[in-house]
């Protein structure tokens, strides 16, 4: 199979239409068998639940060409389980885990020429999502849904080294107390867009959202979880039920504890403690971990010891280990890597 002729290192992070996507429909109380299609358009009734009351959830994961030439994904079972949790929280029918994994395999296999080669830093981003297709006008969950899994190649997140980010403490909330902040739903992003644009216009890379009840504890950014390193090399990450549980963060904590022997604590983190930390990073599938150099709280600058030039030493180690596990240069914990296509099947 010929690879697409692309400048993989410079493709950026945007949507590109690839060859095939997987679609399954939920009707009459059950999911159909699902199929691959070349049709990149979705045709919907004008009253579809997604259009009226925003009933939608999604996931994000990547497929990589590993060092040995095989094509792998990283912990897709956790994405499948999280999507089932999101579905329950949004009164949608969970898409079964086995079917989810099967859809991942099918989409990657059908788009193999779009999987970036090893060593480019690029990967194939997979976006599973599900939305209400059945018509609703009175407020209620829809009776019909579509699950779709699309893919698009994405470039390396850090080209020419990671540049530490500058965040601002937001005046807006990302999630309501006891709301949907822990679910991976588009609606959480819709309501954070205004905060995001406001922060960007003011020259910041991202928002630091605080807890929506007291505005004294650190939550997350619009799309990534915080991880802090203390001056004694302990890892601390915020605990809150309005944070979206990041798979990258969970994996990072495991690696910190079991590969580096560091102490790991998940607990509420006060905004006022930030000056006590040496390093700060943002965890998510897109960048794995992005270093944060500075947080600005209404004009007051909080600078981390790691500075504005490069990743701090502990975050760099975590980044190297996790990307090594994903690309097959570091031994992975049992069950973390799902091999989709063996190197012997690629020619
Ligand atoms: C997806 C997401 C993350 C990161 O989760 P990963 O599983 O690591 O990609 C963090 N915060 C929010 C709000 C998200 O939607």
């Amino acid at each position: 199979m010929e690879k697409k002729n692309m400048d993989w290192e410079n493709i950026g992070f945007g949507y590109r239409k690839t060859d095939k996507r997987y679609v399954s429909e939920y009707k009459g109380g059950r999911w159909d068998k699902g199929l691959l299609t070349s049709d990149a358009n979705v045709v919907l009734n004008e009253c579809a639940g997604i259009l009226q009351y925003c009933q939608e959830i999604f996931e994000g994961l990547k497929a990589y060409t590993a060092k040995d030439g095989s094509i792998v994904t990283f912990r897709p079972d956790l994405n499948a389980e999280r999507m089932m949790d999101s579905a329950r929280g949004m009164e949608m029918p969970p898409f079964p885990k086995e079917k989810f994994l099967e859809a991942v395999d099918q989409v990657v296999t059908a788009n193999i020429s779009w999987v970036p080669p090893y060593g480019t830093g690029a990967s194939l981003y997979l976006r599973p999502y599900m939305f209400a297709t059945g018509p609703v006008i009175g407020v209620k969950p829809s009776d019909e849904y579509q699950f779709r899994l699309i893919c698009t190649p994405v470039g390396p997140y850090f080209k020419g080294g990671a540049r530490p980010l500058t965040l601002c403490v937001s005046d807006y909330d990302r999630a309501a107390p006891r709301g949907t902040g822990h679910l991976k739903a588009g609606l959480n992003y819709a309501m954070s867009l205004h905060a995001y644009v406001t922060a960007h216009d003011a020259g910041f890379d991202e928002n630091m959202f605080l807890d929506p009840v007291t505005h004294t504890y650190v939550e997350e950014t619009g799309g990534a979880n915080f991880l802090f390193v203390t001056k004694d090399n302990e890892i601390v990450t915020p605990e809150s039920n309005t944070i979206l549980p990041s798979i990258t963060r969970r994996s990072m904590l495991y690696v910190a504890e079991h590969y580096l022997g560091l102490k790991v604590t998940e607990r509420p983190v006060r905004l006022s403690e930030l000056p006590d930390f040496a390093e700060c990073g943002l965890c998510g599938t897109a960048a794995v971990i992005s270093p944060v150099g500075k947080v600005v709280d209404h004009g007051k600058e909080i600078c981390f010891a790691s500075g504005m030039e490069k990743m701090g030493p502990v975050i760099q180690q975590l980044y190297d280990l996790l990307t090594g596990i994903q690309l097959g240069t570091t031994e992975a914990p049992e069950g973390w890597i799902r091999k989709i296509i063996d190197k012997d099947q690629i020619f």
Side-chain angles (χ1 to χ4, degrees):
M1 174 63 80
E2 283 281 310
K3 287 284 175 203
K4 299 284 171 193
N5 183 18
M6 297 216 285
D7 180 11
W8 299 106
E9 270 121 88
N10 293 301
I11 53 178
F13 199 99
Y15 168 74
R16 254 164 238 265
K17 185 178 151 192
T18 51
D19 299 334
K20 300 281 181 185
R21 65 280 301 128
Y22 174 93
V23 179
S24 178
E25 305 275 357
Y26 183 88
K27 277 198 177 95
R30 52 182 289 277
W31 286 104
D32 72 8
K33 190 152 123 315
L35 51 78
L36 288 173
T37 169
S38 302
D39 190 353
N41 294 307
V42 178
V43 177
L44 284 175
N45 178 271
E46 62 190 355
C47 226
I50 175 59
L51 301 177
Q52 304 307 330
Y53 303 121
C54 211
Q55 214 186 356
E56 186 264 359
I57 56 174
F58 70 99
E59 274 300 324
L61 67 161
K62 287 174 171 175
Y64 310 85
T65 304
K67 181 146 193 238
D68 71 359
S70 58
I71 294 176
V72 301
T73 49
F74 179 71
R75 312 190 81 179
D77 52 317
L78 297 187
N79 294 96
E81 286 167 12
R82 188 170 65 185
M83 195 172 194
M84 294 176 77
D85 290 341
S86 297
R88 290 183 199 102
M90 297 279 287
E91 291 298 332
M92 299 166 88
F95 192 70
K97 181 168 157 180
E98 283 316 311
K99 286 176 77 89
F100 181 104
L101 295 172
E102 178 59 28
V104 167
D105 292 355
Q106 285 191 27
V107 168
V108 174
T109 306
N111 293 288
I112 189 167
S113 59
W114 292 96
V115 184
Y118 176 77
T120 57
S123 54
L124 187 72
Y125 184 75
L126 305 173
R127 167 57 58 90
Y129 57 113
M130 189 203 291
F131 51 94
T133 51
V136 289
I137 194 79
V139 178
K140 69 174 181 66
S142 172
D143 293 327
E144 296 174 359
Y145 297 87
Q146 180 176 122
F147 170 92
R148 204 171 179 92
L149 200 163
I150 66 174
C151 68
T152 189
V154 293
Y157 204 84
F158 301 122
K159 263 198 334 206
R163 181 185 61 89
L165 306 177
T166 301
L167 312 188
C168 72
V169 175
S170 184
D171 287 328
Y172 300 96
D173 294 328
R174 187 193 78 91
R178 299 181 285 186
T180 55
H182 61 301
L183 309 175
K184 207 166 176 73
L187 58 88
N188 291 324
Y189 282 75
M191 67 176 272
S192 69
L193 288 176
H194 180 62
Y196 180 74
V197 171
T198 305
H200 250 234
D201 288 349
F204 298 104
D205 296 302
E206 271 292 350
N207 283 295
M208 169 179 270
F209 289 108
L210 302 180
D211 78 282
V213 178
T214 70
H215 300 110
T216 52
Y217 292 95
V218 174
E219 294 253 294
E220 61 172 316
T221 67
N225 286 181
F226 283 105
L227 182 150
F228 298 101
V229 184
T230 68
K231 289 167 184 162
D232 305 322
N233 284 355
E234 286 182 13
I235 308 291
V236 176
T237 180
E239 181 181 27
S240 155
N241 52 19
T242 45
I243 289 178
L244 189 283
S246 158
I247 294 166
T248 314
R249 174 173 82 161
R250 175 168 161 182
S251 306
M252 204 72 94
L253 297 180
Y254 182 92
V255 165
E257 191 173 347
H258 295 90
Y259 285 55
L260 296 178
L262 302 179
K263 183 166 174 244
V264 166
T265 312
E266 190 172 345
R267 61 161 173 83
V269 173
R270 284 182 175 278
L271 176 63
S272 60
E273 300 180 49
L274 289 194
D276 300 341
F277 296 119
E279 297 178 45
C280 171
L282 292 174
C283 307
T285 295
V288 180
I289 190 160
S290 314
V292 175
K294 185 165 40 172
V295 178
V296 181
D297 177 16
H298 301 90
K300 198 179 86 202
E301 292 200 346
I302 303 157
C303 300
F304 297 104
S306 51
M308 296 303 293
E309 295 303 318
K310 55 179 175 28
M311 281 191 188
V314 175
I315 284 181
Q316 182 75 56
Q317 280 184 67
L318 290 171
Y319 176 81
D320 291 345
L321 277 171
L322 206 69
T323 50
I325 287 170
Q326 291 168 338
L327 297 174
T329 56
T330 299
E331 196 181 335
E334 177 81 37
W336 278 25
I337 299 296
R338 180 178 177 92
K339 192 171 280 190
I340 296 183
I341 303 169
D342 217 332
K343 58 179 187 298
D344 308 329
Q345 293 169 264
I346 301 168
F347 44 87

